[in-house]
Structure formats: structure tokens, C-alpha cells
Amino acid sequence: MNAPTAYASLRDWLRHLAATDRLAAIREGVSLKHELAAVAKRLDGRRAALFLRPGGQAMAVVSGFMSRREWIAEAMGVSQGELLQRFRDAAERPLAWQEVEAGTAACQQVVHGHGTGQVDLGALPIPTHSEHDDGPYITAGLVIARNPRTGRQNVSINRLQVHGPDRLGILMLPRHLHSFYQAAEAEGDALDVAIVIGVDPLTALASQAICPIDQDELEIAGALHGRPLPVAKCLSNEVRVPADAEIVIEGRLLPRVREAEGPFGEFPKYYSAREEREVIQIAAITTRRDPLFHTIVPAEMEHLLLGSIPREATLLAHLQRSFPNVTDVHLSVGGVARYHLYVQMRKTREGQPKNVMLGAFAGHYDVKQVIVVDEDVNVHDPVEVEWAVATRFQAGRDLVVIEGAQGSALDPSTTLGFDDNKPPVNWQGYGDKMGLDATKPLDSGGHVFTRVRIPGEREVDLDQLVQASGPAALCGTPLERS
Ligand code: MN
């Protein structure tokens, strides 16, 4: 498996965006509090932003360099149609990483702490993003830790709140990192971690793969690159980090320590509440010379796509195991790239779309609504999907509602009916599922379900036929004389 055209370096990718007018350099001095996020949000999905000396800090900040689906496909060296398959191939056939010689890693060119005096998070340009956020947050930090039982690594992106010069609060969902931490904490031990900021788009995407515990996501990054990822050993612990990263924060997740974290504006475009959460004590910070700090503006396209593409790849693989006639899936942007799944299938028997819905709900608990459409409907175009619902769906026979299932705890509509809208832990995310079969019947007479098409529309050569446009189009026509 090789991917010669994939961009394996963040700096190469940013240079490529600049060369194609997709990177905006932002003048010096933009405030780290709200202003930086506001500018990045306005450019979201159009241009990546490179902030020079924001907030008077020496370090530059980048944001939004993965804010379009076609950009991610381009970084991967494939077409948009091949994106999910390519990610799935990499997740199924990972490539072991390769350790670089000690002292040669770019991410360790400059060392703070680890015998060189104090570490200070204040030296990093960490922005405050949303209105009610409790303060500055690291939003694009890949947290890497080793399973205390097996030594195998895990990579995840967790939000990290600055609690002090050498202290971060962290949100861990009940997944792999959290289970490593629980195993360490049960022994009274801290869990060594590294927080990596500023990696290439493919490594960032790989970090979000939904894969088994003890599958090191850095090996998926290697497979996406088409060659083993060069890694370096941290200076203060055994964690291996991408050697070409911009910034690495080394530290320890402390046992039996909790501090208040939040509120913080999350992917559903609502705030996640302030609660007692785990804490990281920082031991060292290493960087490249002249490093770039990456921030992801929460709930914007870069955030949504990082979550949705790996999930789509996983859900498609999961569905196709039971239903080989499922042809494509899409987690819609309006559905916060998590909750609303569009499924395209080649229906061969009536009733199949309802089986597919049940499979999709079982595929990930976050999925709240499933719309199943025929092969002629592009699931990546929400207008097409709505058209299918408008013309092929009848609620009386095509709607499936499943009440009282487990869903996303961050969906605020699941909290209604509880005191102060705060459900007890066991009821968080408790809500309903909805499935819509928007496929047309297999047998229908005449042209009832024949889609209107104009012969030759796709093939017509406009460059050949348009002789002039704008005011010049009127020259020599009847309109010129009136
Ligand atoms: Mn994992």
C-alpha cells in the first residue's frame, strides 16, 4: 500500500495551501482572547489562517487547515469518493512506526524544563475560544499514553484547560485513554502522557480512528502516509511521539486528583458543564525552533470533519459487513457530524432500509437519526437527501421511532425532564432514535418515480458553445438594438 502523493508534513501542507491561495497570513497582535477564534471562524472552510505573533507571543498559531472534505482527500492523495475506503484500508492495515536516533527529532530542538528550569504554559499562544469558556484551552493536542498492562500506545484528542503554568485539566470520555488512567490510578500510579500539538493532517485524522484498544493510532498515520511514521522517545518518559511535530508537552496524569474544569463550548455548539475532572502535571515542553501552535475552533468544520470522516469510515465498514448493498454513508454537518447519518443503498428487497437503520443505531450510540436513500441520491448533498425525504417518504409507513435508547450525553435535548436539566450519570444521553426510509418502492408503474433528466446535460461542452457572456453577450443579438 503506497500513497506517494500524500502530504506527510504539516509544513509542506501549509506551503501547498499558500501556493494555491488557501492560506491567509494574519497580521501581528490579534488577541488570543476571542479575536483569534473569531478570525479563524470567519475563514473556516475557505482559507487556513496563520496568525503572526498573536497576543504579543513569539509563536505563530495555525488553524483551519483541514476545514474542507476535499482538502483532506487532497492531503491523502485520493479523490473525495475514495476518502472513506482509503482511511478504512489504513485502519485495517496499520504500519509500525520507526524510532529516530536520540537527539535528532525536530520536535525536541528546543527544551523547556527537564533540567533546564521551569516550564511555563504561558510561553504558548493558547487561545480562549468561545464566549463562556472558562479560559484558554488547548483544543488540538494529541494525547498519547501507554497501556500500563501492555505498553501499547493510544492517541486521542482531549480538550485541555490551562490550570496553571505547569498544570492542565483534561476531559476524558470513557474510552481507551481513560481505561489506561483507571488502571494506573488503581495502583496509585500516575499515567505518563505526551500532548502533541502541530501535526500533519493525516496524523491528526488517524488519531480519531475508532479502533480496538491497543491499536496505536500512530500506526494508522504511518499507513496513511505510506511509510512508517518517524517517532521520538519523550525526554521524561517512555511515550513515543511524532518526531516532526511542532510542540510536545510531557507530563503525568495524577492519580486521585480532580479539579474543576469547564464550562467549554463543544462540538454540538453548546457548552459542556463545569465539573471535577482529572489533572495533568507538566514535566517538560519541547518544540521545534520557531514552532507553530495549532488550534481547532470548536464546532467549526475542522473540528467536525476530524470527527466525522473516521466515524463514517467505521460505520460504512460496520454496515457493509451485514448489508453488502450499502454503498455510502455521510454524517451531516447540520447533525453536528455525529448525530444524523445518511445511508445510501441499492435496495433489493422491501423492508431492507429498516434493517439498515437498526444496524446503524447499533454501530455508534451517538447516531440519533438515520435517513436511508437510494443509489441515485448523493448522501454528501443535504439538498438531495431532503428531496428524497420530500418525495419518497411517508411518515405513517416509513418512520421508525425507538424511544429510550442511549445517545450522546452532549445532546442538550436529552436532559429535558430532569431537575435543573442535569440528569444523574446513569441517565445521561438517554433519548430517542428516529429512522426515515426515503427509498422509493422497487415496483412502481409508469414514470411515477422516474427522475427528471435532460439528455446531454452532463455531456454538453459549454466552453465550446458560450460565445460571449456579460454585456458582450448582447452584441449582434436582438437585445442590442432595443
Ligand atoms: Mn484508541
Side-chain angles (χ1 to χ4, degrees):
M1 180 162 93
N2 50 21
T5 51
Y7 283 85
S9 145
L10 171 61
R11 288 171 179 239
D12 284 348
W13 175 245
L14 295 174
R15 282 188 199 103
H16 173 64
L17 290 179
T20 48
D21 197 22
R22 289 179 285 176
L23 182 128
I26 312 298
R27 66 178 49 168
E28 294 187 7
V30 164
S31 170
L32 288 168
K33 187 171 182 186
H34 302 151
E35 192 181 14
L36 183 147
V39 173
K41 179 169 175 172
R42 287 284 291 275
L43 291 169
D44 186 56
R46 293 186 294 135
R47 278 188 284 173
L50 173 63
F51 295 88
L52 305 168
R53 302 186 68 89
Q57 295 265 17
M59 224 177 267
V61 174
V62 286
S63 187
F65 57 79
M66 296 173 276
S67 65
R68 288 182 80 96
R69 198 179 179 86
E70 54 263 44
W71 295 6
I72 293 176
E74 190 181 343
M76 225 182 256
V78 298
S79 70
Q80 276 196 74
E82 297 164 317
L83 183 58
L84 298 186
Q85 188 58 47
R86 175 80 185 124
F87 189 82
R88 190 168 151 186
D89 286 345
E92 284 168 7
R93 284 188 286 280
L95 209 52
W97 36 252
Q98 211 158 41
E99 194 163 334
V100 302
E101 222 175 290
T104 65
C107 67
Q108 294 171 339
Q109 284 167 346
V110 180
V111 179
H112 305 269
H114 195 64
T116 66
Q118 287 295 330
V119 295
D120 182 11
L121 286 171
L124 301 179
I126 308 176
T128 300
H129 300 89
S130 303
E131 184 183 6
H132 298 296
D133 285 1
D134 193 51
Y137 268 85
I138 296 171
T139 58
L142 275 61
V143 182
I144 309 182
R146 301 169 80 226
N147 186 336
R149 295 194 185 94
T150 65
R152 293 281 294 168
Q153 295 204 142
N154 187 70
V155 189
S156 57
I157 297 181
N158 303 69
R159 69 176 197 237
L160 299 156
Q161 180 174 12
V162 177
H163 280 344
D166 59 356
R167 218 167 162 85
L168 291 164
I170 181 171
L171 170 72
M172 285 187 283
L173 295 176
R175 294 203 276 256
H176 301 160
L177 175 64
H178 188 245
S179 79
F180 295 180
Y181 173 72
Q182 281 182 315
E185 190 181 43
E187 302 293 316
D189 296 335
L191 181 73
D192 289 334
V193 295
I195 297 154
V196 181
I197 301 167
V199 295
D200 66 275
L202 303 186
T203 301
L205 200 66
S207 78
Q208 300 304 294
I210 297 167
C211 54
I213 201 162
D214 281 350
Q215 170 62 68
D216 183 343
E217 286 82 358
L218 293 183
E219 298 185 341
I220 298 173
L224 285 173
H225 288 167
R227 55 187 155 89
L229 187 78
V231 301
K233 191 184 97 57
C234 282
L235 302 180
S236 65
N237 63 41
E238 292 297 310
V239 175
R240 295 332 192 255
V241 296
D244 294 328
E246 298 288 328
I247 300 163
V248 179
I249 302 172
E250 303 181 5
R252 302 155 73 234
L253 259 163
L254 303 176
R256 300 194 250 285
V257 177
R258 303 291 186 275
E259 289 172 8
E261 183 270 344
F264 177 74
E266 267 289 356
F267 72 83
K269 304 185 196 287
Y270 295 100
Y271 291 89
S272 154
R274 185 170 179 83
E275 277 171 33
E276 295 291 314
R277 296 199 174 95
E278 292 80 357
V279 171
I280 296 170
Q281 175 73 46
I282 295 166
I285 299 176
T286 72
T287 73
R288 279 175 170 261
R289 279 186 288 276
D290 216 5
L292 300 168
F293 183 95
H294 179 206
T295 201
I296 293 174
V297 180
E300 294 310 308
M301 286 310 295
E302 189 165 51
H303 188 186
L304 297 181
L305 288 170
L306 267 181
S308 68
I309 290 168
R311 276 161 193 255
E312 288 172 353
T314 308
L315 283 163
L316 182 59
H318 162 78
L319 286 174
Q320 286 179 336
R321 269 192 286 273
S322 307
F323 313 102
N325 50 342
V326 165
T327 44
D328 203 357
V329 300
H330 180 63
L331 287 160
S332 71
V333 172
V336 297
R338 303 280 196 288
Y339 299 168
H340 291 181
L341 181 74
Y342 302 155
V343 183
Q344 185 196 59
M345 74 181 296
R346 191 184 321 111
K347 183 169 77 169
T348 55
R349 293 289 181 90
E350 293 302 343
Q352 282 174 343
K354 289 187 182 170
N355 299 59
V356 168
M357 282 169 207
L358 297 172
F361 292 133
H364 200 293
Y365 63 88
D366 273 348
V367 176
K368 180 181 182 184
Q369 179 187 301
V370 177
I371 300 179
V372 185
V373 298
D374 295 300
E375 244 186 324
D376 66 319
V377 177
N378 176 7
V379 284
H380 300 282
D381 180 350
V383 174
E384 286 233 348
V385 173
E386 187 179 3
W387 170 77
V389 172
T391 61
R392 299 179 184 183
F393 166 82
Q394 283 296 319
R397 54 157 207 254
D398 298 323
L399 175 69
V400 174
V401 175
I402 297 157
E403 290 181 38
Q406 181 53 221
S408 164
L410 283 174
D411 169 4
S413 67
T414 64
T415 66
L416 300 177
F418 293 96
D419 290 344
D420 300 326
N421 288 341
K422 208 172 167 357
V425 164
N426 289 338
W427 290 83
Q428 282 172 10
Y430 181 84
D432 302 340
K433 308 289 183 193
M434 175 163 80
L436 287 77
D437 174 0
T439 60
K440 60 191 181 189
L442 287 169
D443 301 309
S444 60
H447 284 307
V448 177
F449 279 104
T450 304
R451 202 169 165 165
V452 171
R453 192 181 81 86
I454 298 176
E457 181 195 340
R458 279 164 198 257
E459 297 76 18
V460 99
D461 184 355
L462 282 184
D463 292 337
Q464 194 69 37
L465 294 171
V466 174
Q467 64 171 15
S469 68
L474 302 184
C475 294
T477 74
L479 286 164
E480 188 183 28
R481 292 177 292 278
S482 58

